[in-house]
Amino acid sequence: MPSQADINNRMLKALTADDFDLLAKHLEAVELPGNFLMAEPYKALDFVYFPESGIGSVMAVAATGQMAEAGMFGREGFVPTATIIGDDVVPYLIEIHVPGTGYRVPIEAMRQATMKSPTLQVPMIKYMHVFATQVAYTSLANAKYDVEQRLARWILMCHDRLGSDEMAITHEYIALMLGVRRPSVTTSLHILEGKRLIRSSRGSVMVRDRRGLEALAASSYGVPELEFERLLGKT
């Protein structure tokens, strides 16, 4: 049974000691490999996941099979967020893209814990608000910002979650997440390299100038991150 002091996930860290104890015996350590599916549209859910590392995405899926990233998560959150309000299906896909580790809790165990303690839901409901804010700013970025700015924002969000300047991220993954063609990603990466903001190689992006990336991303980045700090503290 893990100790709360050793936990890296911010949702589990935010629980009171008594609330954490309600979940502790149900926490199962799991590997989260690349392409691991945590949820598929309208398929019954079995677990709530609390990543310790890595990056995953909530993907909106069209009937034609086309997909776009609606939001990103890592060690700061939990998925699927709908489970905290008692739902056991979601209309979207949740997938791990940068491998990591985490914990999972059976949905029924989560329900029982929330019935025993109403305070257990509080940080998770706050996170749902933060995630909704992130989705709103993804919409803003997609509608009003150019590809270079959206790429800068996305790299910053990955940097926040991975805690490393060098990130194992492919051009294909970036193209899928931004909803653009791969040549557009390659061109935009070259532009950011020319500005000495990043260094890009096959399968890797290194952050060289975070402040420069923040300046380029402008107002497309920062509000969801500040909301997290306001409601849940610094990551």
Side-chain angles (χ1 to χ4, degrees):
M1 191 168 67
S3 163
Q4 191 174 18
D6 297 328
I7 292 287
N8 197 38
N9 179 272
R10 289 303 308 276
M11 290 297 97
L12 295 176
K13 290 286 259 188
L15 297 177
T16 67
D18 288 342
D19 286 342
F20 179 81
D21 288 343
L22 291 174
L23 291 180
K25 64 182 178 182
H26 302 291
L27 290 172
E28 177 188 359
V30 290
E31 294 291 324
L32 300 174
N35 302 316
F36 176 71
L37 290 176
M38 295 170 156
E40 296 181 74
Y42 299 108
K43 289 191 176 181
L45 301 168
D46 297 315
F47 298 99
V48 184
Y49 290 88
F50 297 89
E52 290 275 285
S53 59
I55 294 177
S57 296
V58 175
M59 309 286 292
V61 184
T64 58
Q66 294 173 300
M67 295 188 292
E69 184 181 55
M72 178 191 296
F73 63 90
R75 65 184 181 88
E76 84 287 358
F78 75 102
V79 289
T81 56
T83 55
I84 205 64
I85 57 171
D87 208 348
D88 60 0
V89 295
V90 292
Y92 40 78
L93 183 147
I94 305 176
E95 185 175 15
I96 292 294
H97 291 292
V98 177
T101 62
Y103 293 96
R104 68 182 187 184
V105 176
I107 284 180
E108 186 55 36
M110 178 63 78
R111 284 177 179 155
Q112 293 297 322
T114 54
M115 288 175 64
K116 291 178 181 176
S117 173
T119 60
L120 189 149
Q121 291 182 311
V122 172
M124 297 181 190
I125 291 172
K126 289 180 179 180
Y127 175 71
M128 291 176 73
H129 162 73
V130 172
F131 193 82
T133 305
Q134 184 199 136
V135 172
Y137 275 79
T138 296
S139 298
L140 174 66
N142 291 345
K144 299 297 183 181
Y145 289 77
D146 61 32
V147 176
E148 290 79 28
Q149 291 174 301
R150 291 165 57 196
L151 176 59
R153 172 184 184 259
W154 191 83
I155 290 171
L156 286 165
M157 291 170 66
C158 289
H159 193 237
D160 290 341
R161 288 159 178 81
L162 294 177
S164 170
D165 288 340
E166 187 166 6
M167 302 174 288
I169 300 169
T170 66
H171 292 198
E172 291 86 350
Y173 171 43
I174 297 171
L176 174 63
M177 296 301 101
L178 294 184
V180 300
R181 297 174 64 245
R182 181 179 170 179
S184 297
V185 169
T186 301
T187 299
S188 297
L189 285 168
H190 286 160
I191 291 171
L192 267 59
E193 280 192 293
K195 295 177 182 290
R196 303 182 65 83
L197 302 178
I198 64 166
R199 182 180 294 118
S200 176
S201 59
R202 186 173 182 177
S204 176
V205 173
M206 176 178 285
V207 173
R208 299 181 65 188
D209 181 357
R210 182 180 169 95
R211 288 187 179 180
L213 285 170
E214 290 175 354
L216 179 59
S219 296
S220 69
Y221 173 83
V223 173
E225 290 72 23
L226 288 173
E227 281 295 276
F228 190 101
E229 289 188 10
R230 182 175 72 86
L231 294 172
L232 292 155
K234 289 184 176 292
T235 59

